[in-house]
Amino acid sequence: MVSLSEVESSNSCIASALPQGLVAVFVGATSGIGEYSVKQFVEHARQPRIYFVGRSQEAGKRITAECQKLNSSGQYTFIQADTSLIRNVDNVCRNIMSEVKAVNLLFISTGTLLSHTETAEGLHFATSVVYYSRARFIVNLLPLLRRAPHLRRVVTVLGAGKEGPITTNDFQAWKVPMLSQRGHVSSMTTLSLEALAKEAPEVSFVHNFPGVVKTNLARGGEGPAVFVLKQVFKVLNPILAMSNRECGERQTFLATSARYPSKDAAANGVPLVGDLAVARGTDGQSGSGVYSVDANGISAGARVEALLAQFRDEGLVERVWEHTVEEFERITGVRAI
């Protein structure tokens, strides 16, 4: 595992190893993992320019003030949006694209337990939040990420290492059992990153599982299954959850360390510290550009690598991404803005 001391040692080098003025976009940043991560990133970076997206205007004002206290030299812009809607994602991206020409980091941690509800755009709400809207942010901002002269990275926090079977006649997961949805969507997420990495080999893509963290994920969820999960969270969080600070430090490490380089091995972040080595990508090769890592920063094991290899052989990288683009075009008329 990557120890917390190694994480902190790497993060302490961000200010000296990376240039000032890094542009970072945090989506789902008004609570939980996103909030913890943006604060730790801000604490370490020099004169960062931060855009953070969330639903709560009140939380946005609070976090802006807290970031200014942590690092008064940074610029902090909160964008209020319901990112379950693809058109709203496009509006957020247009806003950012009108102000900056390059983005160094796109960090996405949106989540929900609300299921079997349809968005106004005809998508399964749960899958839209954790898959479609995330993919839309990435494909929209990918040209800006590719343009960055230094760090170029996407981090998506979901279910890395938990990849499972994909129900190919129900990509939106309307009928996928609740206990199987994580594996289904986690696999779609990893495969979509592999598809995008082919297009942008100079960008690194990290899909990670955060471990047990205190979040507001169960907020708004309904039904007996969600009720049970809320009770489980109440019992386990005080016992098992890592501290908010450690969560933010570990996510900042994933966002900045050269342990997770792009395929072309350029602009890869903070040089490795101590005995750390370049991570194994989802194809089993060291430093191959797409990573599925656990809460300790370790690449997914043999089971996941074999499953992903099977998916590639079956053409699922292409099928998943073609389906995703079809939904984008149905909703907005274009693959990306």
Side-chain angles (χ1 to χ4, degrees), residues 78-324:
F78 172 65
I79 303 174
Q80 184 180 28
D82 171 8
T83 59
S84 68
L85 296 176
I86 302 303
R87 292 187 183 91
N88 287 354
V89 172
D90 285 356
N91 290 335
V92 171
C93 292
R94 288 190 186 97
N95 188 335
I96 295 169
M97 294 164 72
S98 71
E99 297 187 3
V100 296
K101 300 301 182 184
V103 169
N104 299 100
L105 170 66
L106 172 59
F107 184 100
I108 315 176
S109 58
T110 45
T112 184
L113 291 179
L114 184 61
S115 188
H116 293 95
T117 298
E118 188 174 45
T119 72
E121 296 171 333
L123 292 175
H124 185 185
F125 178 87
T127 317
S128 184
V129 169
V130 300
Y131 176 72
Y132 294 101
S133 69
R134 292 180 181 219
R136 188 66 171 186
F137 268 109
I138 298 170
V139 75
N140 281 348
L141 295 179
L142 197 59
L144 276 69
L145 285 155
R146 300 182 73 180
R147 202 176 294 151
H150 301 287
L151 179 71
R152 296 187 287 263
R153 187 161 302 176
V154 173
V155 176
T156 186
V157 185
L158 190 62
K162 314 298 181 183
E163 288 89 347
I166 296 175
T167 304
T168 56
N169 63 353
D170 185 18
F171 283 124
Q172 290 196 36
W174 281 106
K175 298 179 180 179
V176 176
M178 185 173 184
L179 293 179
S180 300
Q181 287 181 13
R182 181 173 68 173
H184 172 95
V185 177
S186 296
S187 289
M188 288 180 63
T189 297
T190 300
L191 295 183
S192 71
L193 297 182
E194 290 193 3
L196 289 162
K198 293 179 181 179
E199 178 181 339
E202 66 272 56
V203 177
S204 63
F205 299 84
V206 180
H207 176 198
N208 83 88
F209 175 68
V212 181
V213 181
K214 296 177 182 178
T215 73
N216 290 328
L217 182 62
R219 178 186 57 193
E222 299 176 349
V226 173
F227 174 80
V228 170
L229 285 173
K230 287 181 179 180
Q231 304 315 307
V232 171
F233 290 160
K234 286 181 181 179
V235 173
L236 293 183
N237 273 347
I239 302 171
L240 300 177
M242 69 176 67
S243 70
N244 299 350
R245 183 178 181 83
E246 179 177 352
C247 173
E249 287 284 346
R250 287 190 174 278
Q251 295 299 329
T252 298
F253 172 77
L254 295 176
T256 58
S257 172
R259 177 171 165 80
Y260 310 99
S262 61
K263 186 174 183 178
D264 73 357
N268 284 318
V270 177
L272 298 176
V273 298
D275 295 326
L276 290 179
V278 171
R280 192 176 66 255
T282 53
D283 61 357
Q285 302 300 309
S286 176
S288 53
V290 181
Y291 307 90
S292 176
V293 301
D294 67 12
N296 295 313
I298 302 301
S299 297
R303 181 197 68 82
V304 170
E305 286 185 5
L307 180 65
L308 294 174
Q310 176 186 330
F311 288 156
R312 291 186 206 103
D313 290 343
E314 295 172 351
L316 274 176
V317 173
E318 294 76 16
R319 288 182 63 189
V320 166
W321 190 243
E322 286 170 4
H323 159 78
T324 305

Side-chain angles (χ1 to χ4, degrees), residues 30 52-61 78-81 219:
T30 50
F52 66 107
V53 184
R55 291 177 295 177
S56 171
Q57 186 70 49
E58 181 180 355
K61 290 180 180 178
F78 172 65
I79 303 174
Q80 184 180 28
R219 178 186 57 193

